[in-house]
Structures are given as C-alpha cells and as structure tokens.
Amino acid sequence: MMLDLPLIWALILAIGVMLYVILDGFDLGVGTLTSRARSDEERNMMTATVEPVWDGNETWLIIGGGGLFAAFPTAYAILMPAFYLPVLMMLAALIFRGVAFEFRHKAVRPLTRRFWNGAFFGGSLAAALSQGLMLGAFVQGVAVEDGAFAGGPFDWLTPFSLLVAVSVAVGYVLLGACWLYLKTEGPLQERARGWARLSLVVLAACFFAVSLATLSVNEQVVLRWGFSMTHIDPGTLLPLLPVPLAGMVLVGLLWRMLSRSPADRSGGDWWPYLLAVGIFLSGYLGLAISLLPFIVPYQVTIHEAAARDNALGFMLVGAVIMLPVILAYTAYVYRLFWGKVQPGDGYHD
C-alpha cells in the first residue's frame, strides 16, 4: 500500500505548529504579563518560570517553517511573499525579546532596566500579534495567479486579521497566566488566577466573533460547516458540531476550575493549563476542518503544493529519527525543571 506522503507531511507540520503554539505561546504570554508585575522580584519570578524552556520552545517554529519550505515548496513560494512584512515583524520581535531576556538581568541603572523590561514585554506582545495577523490573513486567503502570489504588500492587514491577532494575543496571555498559576504559589499565583479569569472571558468573546467572521471569509467555509447566518444544513453541521461544543465545555470547565477557593484547589494546579491547551486544540481542529484540503486557502491543495514523493520519502526518514529525539529532550527538560519557582530562582542568579 502506497503511503500518502503529502498528507503525512501535512500532519507533521500541523503537529509542529500546534506544539509551537501551546509551548512558545505560554512564554510569550508570560512575557506580555510581565508588564503587570508589581516589583522586579515578582517579574524575575515570572521570567524564571520560562527561562529553562523558552529557547527550546521555538524549535517547533523552525520545524514548521523549514518543513513548509522542504515539503510544500509551492505553498512556501506563494505564502512567503504574501506575509513578508508580518514575518519580518515577528522575527524582529523574537530577536529583540531574546536580547531583552538576557540584558534585563545585566542592567544596573533603573532607567536601563526599565527599558529592557519594556522591550521584553513589547517583543512578546509584538510576536504574538504578528502571528495572529499571519493566521488571520492565511484564513482569509491570498491572491494567487499562475501559481504565484498576485496581491499587494499589505493584503494581510484587514479588520479580520486584526481581530484574529487580538484573539491570538489574548489566547497566549491565557496560556501564560495558567502557566504562572502552575509554576508559582502565594500572591503571584492568585494574581495569575485573576489574569487567567479575565483573559478567558475576553478570549471566549474573541473566539465567538472570529467564528462568525470566518463564515463570511469564503463560501467554501460555509459549505464545509453547513452553517451560515441564513441557512443551516443539519446533515453537514451535526457531525462537526462536537468540535465547537468541546471548546465551549472546556471554557466552562476552566472557568469553574479558576473560580475554586484555595481550599478546594489542592493538587490541581496543572489542570488550568491543560484545559487552556484543550481550548486551543479545539480551535485548531475547527480551523483544520474549515481549510482542508487546502494548504494555500481556497487556491492550492496539499497534494498540488507537495514536493515529489521521492523527496518527501527521504525527508520522512529523517523526521522519523529526529522528531522522537526532539520530543524526548523537550520532555526531559520539562521534567528536570518541574516544580514551583521560588524567589531567587533563575539561571542568571
């Protein structure tokens, strides 16, 4: 039986992107939340929760970009010119954030320390917004003519992409707050609980708005879900309905978990982060349902954009060897640095 190599590589890229979102998403969220720290000690505790893992989390971004270039060169050639500016914005933000991450610990003067703290916050937020802009523009679709991008340099900047950008940034804040809730204790943990509750309410509203707006993006999305503002196709909608319903249930469970009194929350600090991840997974699955089989939405399918099977097969051998290694060392690092962060923790101290 012949393997469907384009589909296998689409799944590998989809898993890589999702792992990036749920892993680097929380440390971008923590970086954004550092603006709410009440003191340098509290801010240092917040950054200490991500110091051992933030570099490794970005590995999945490289795998996603490199995999798209190698496995789906046609899609890469179309999408990169469409997103040049937001990609450059994201890379500049990630670089500036990385520099600020190190320099903020070396700053002696209060003014310099405030600058690098602000740069860490700004780089984290800018990276999240840039990723959201690209996602929104991707879902919206790009202009393609004769197998090449045929749009303008600012096609990615629309009301829909801005709405998605805000949603992604708020979602990352939710992940970051839940991660802080998991990794800290005492007053900072309670403040993280408050941040998580607020961001959850905003995210639920954003998801609802994005879901409705997505139905107006392209007629094929309406046909895939069998749902529009004027028509419902029960035969199409009902089999897919468990996906958005699961997201709604997870939102309710997370709200309930975050509303518990301290006496009722013993031993369950990891649940909020897992539930937040589940919310992202439900949204990601809904996005996949809306877009498949397209890799360039509504223009180019996975099989049309894929490299030749001999190239995909050769790369798959490397992926089968390397991906378990990456997963193993990632799990080892998280296991090694598991537990609550205490004042004074961090590799800079």
Side-chain angles (χ1 to χ4, degrees):
M1 183 178 66
M2 294 293 292
L3 295 175
D4 190 342
L5 292 174
L7 181 59
I8 291 173
W9 269 101
L11 290 173
I12 290 173
L13 293 186
I15 292 171
V17 171
M18 190 64 227
L19 285 171
Y20 171 78
V21 168
I22 63 178
L23 295 179
D24 203 43
F26 77 70
D27 70 55
L28 290 175
V30 170
T32 303
L33 285 169
T34 55
S35 63
R36 309 303 301 165
R38 290 176 173 172
S39 64
D40 277 342
E41 181 185 26
E42 188 173 88
R43 185 176 291 106
N44 289 339
M45 284 187 64
M46 294 169 72
T47 57
T49 66
V50 300
E51 280 177 352
V53 297
W54 74 278
D55 273 327
N57 291 342
E58 294 181 352
T59 301
W60 299 103
L61 180 63
I62 299 171
I63 291 174
L68 181 66
F69 172 76
F72 300 98
T74 301
Y76 185 90
I78 294 171
L79 294 174
M80 278 304 295
F83 301 146
Y84 271 145
L85 289 178
V87 166
L88 290 176
M89 289 164 51
M90 179 189 70
L91 294 177
L94 290 174
I95 292 170
F96 198 48
R97 174 179 179 269
V99 172
F101 198 102
E102 304 296 333
F103 278 32
R104 59 179 297 275
H105 291 279
K106 306 299 182 183
V108 177
R109 298 177 180 177
L111 182 61
T112 307
R113 188 181 303 114
R114 284 197 296 271
F115 171 79
W116 287 116
N117 285 335
F120 183 62
F121 156 73
S124 300
L125 180 59
L129 290 172
S130 299
Q131 291 171 18
L133 286 170
M134 286 186 284
L135 175 61
F138 179 78
V139 173
Q140 188 173 269
V142 299
V144 179
E145 190 173 308
D146 296 328
F149 175 62
F154 292 98
D155 284 3
W156 50 270
L157 188 59
T158 66
F160 178 77
S161 67
L162 289 171
L163 174 62
V164 176
V166 172
S167 302
V168 169
V170 173
Y172 283 177
V173 168
L174 174 64
L175 287 173
C178 291
W179 180 256
L180 289 173
Y181 184 86
L182 169 64
K183 296 291 288 182
T184 61
E185 53 190 1
L188 180 55
Q189 185 187 47
E190 284 303 302
R191 281 165 53 74
R193 182 170 74 98
W195 296 331
R197 283 164 55 90
L198 177 59
S199 58
L200 178 61
V201 172
V202 178
L203 181 63
C206 287
F207 270 13
F208 180 75
V210 169
S211 298
L212 290 181
T214 302
L215 295 174
S216 64
V217 164
N218 191 279
E219 184 180 352
Q220 295 193 51
V221 177
V222 174
L223 294 175
R224 177 60 56 85
W225 284 94
F227 176 83
S228 70
M229 303 304 293
T230 59
H231 174 72
I232 297 178
D233 179 4
T236 302
L237 177 62
L238 289 178
L240 303 177
L241 203 55
V243 175
L245 288 179
M248 294 170 62
V249 170
L250 290 170
V251 168
L253 289 174
L254 180 53
W255 177 262
R256 182 180 179 183
M257 186 68 62
L258 294 171
S259 300
R260 287 183 174 180
S261 64
D264 297 331
R265 299 200 306 266
S266 60
D269 290 355
W270 48 277
W271 270 110
Y273 179 72
L274 292 182
L275 290 170
V277 168
I279 293 170
F280 267 82
L281 286 173
S282 68
Y284 196 65
L285 183 55
L287 180 65
I289 292 172
S290 299
L291 298 182
L292 284 176
F294 297 102
I295 193 169
V296 178
Y298 328 117
Q299 300 284 346
V300 182
T301 67
I302 292 169
H303 292 84
E304 291 171 343
R308 293 182 180 273
D309 279 358
N310 58 350
L312 295 177
F314 177 76
M315 292 186 296
L316 185 60
V317 174
V320 168
I321 296 172
M322 292 306 302
L323 287 179
V325 173
I326 297 172
L327 288 169
Y329 79 65
T330 299
Y332 173 74
V333 169
Y334 276 87
R335 178 67 182 86
L336 184 65
F337 291 96
W338 194 252
K340 299 286 187 179
V341 170
Q342 303 296 329
D345 286 351
Y347 62 72
H348 293 91
D349 299 309

